[in-house]
Amino acid sequence: MAKLVVHTESLKGLTHELKVERTTVGRVDDNTFQIVEASVSSHHAEILLKGTDVVVKDLNSTNGTFINGERITEATLKPGQTLRLGNVEIKLDGLAAAKKQLDATMVIPQGVKRDELGTSIQGTKLNEKAGFHRKSNNLNRVFFIGGGITLLIIIGLIVYAVIQQGAPHE
């Protein structure tokens, strides 16, 4: 799991694991990662997880957001780079392990082949010994017959209404 590790001497040991897609960083307690330091704005920056990338976005902070000394408004933070919020220096840690875990995707074979089953399938009919039964179509027939009858009634009512409109009234 990727995490932010504060390297500034007065806040050394302060860390935050990036568990969610969006992490807010700032001085006040409504941020996901609170850094109580005067040079950090109340809502200084947000950290976005986009796939395997960690994107840092400045939230119009007073003292700025920097990656390796360069002021940014939005940029990707890579392992080994220094993120500075005001006077607080932070490094990204553990991203390589998270990326390695994502890269270790296992390929799963496609389903089970017929010859791997303990029972045989003959033509399109399932073997009765397997415990499978063909699904009944009775429910479909009921819906089709009921729908047909309903359609005939509606057509009959429409024809009756048209005839009544055309008939002279006394």
Side-chain angles (χ1 to χ4, degrees):
M1 178 74 49
K3 67 179 174 179
L4 300 173
V5 179
V6 177
H7 283 270
T8 302
E9 196 61 43
S10 61
L11 299 167
K12 215 167 194 107
L14 186 61
T15 64
H16 181 78
E17 280 193 32
L18 298 174
K19 296 178 184 177
V20 292
E21 193 174 299
R22 179 179 178 266
T23 301
T24 57
V25 183
R27 191 176 63 247
V28 296
D29 64 355
D30 66 347
N31 288 287
T32 316
F33 182 29
Q34 183 183 15
I35 301 175
V36 183
E37 209 280 337
S39 66
V40 176
S41 293
S42 57
H43 297 100
H44 198 103
E46 66 181 0
I47 313 293
L48 305 168
L49 294 179
K50 293 185 177 181
T52 57
D53 290 338
V54 176
V55 178
V56 180
K57 186 176 180 182
D58 184 74
L59 298 176
N60 297 319
S61 63
T62 304
N63 294 317
T65 301
F66 301 82
I67 293 180
N68 285 350
E70 186 176 324
R71 189 176 191 135
I72 59 111
T73 53
E74 184 172 332
T76 301
L77 179 64
K78 295 181 170 61
Q81 292 182 322
T82 301
L83 169 66
R84 186 165 51 86
L85 308 176
N87 295 326
V88 178
E89 290 191 352
I90 302 169
K91 294 239 181 189
L92 182 61
D93 189 32
L95 188 63
K99 187 174 181 181
K100 191 175 187 180
Q101 184 178 4
L102 288 175
D103 290 344
T105 304
M106 191 169 106
V107 177
I108 299 173
Q110 289 183 323
V112 177
K113 294 181 177 86
R114 185 176 9 171
D115 58 332
E116 292 174 342
L117 289 173
T119 59
S120 64
I121 299 176
Q122 299 169 355
T124 56
K125 294 184 179 180
L126 293 173
N127 188 343
E128 291 297 321
K129 293 177 187 172
F132 296 107
H133 302 285
R134 185 181 173 127
K135 189 176 179 180
S136 169
N137 285 333
N138 288 340
L139 191 57
N140 288 342
R141 282 193 199 121
V142 170
F143 280 120
F144 281 120
I145 292 170
I149 292 171
T150 305
L151 185 61
L152 287 174
I153 292 171
I154 291 172
I155 291 172
L157 288 172
I158 292 172
V159 169
Y160 177 76
V162 169
I163 292 173
Q164 289 298 322
Q165 287 289 338
H169 297 293
E170 291 186 27

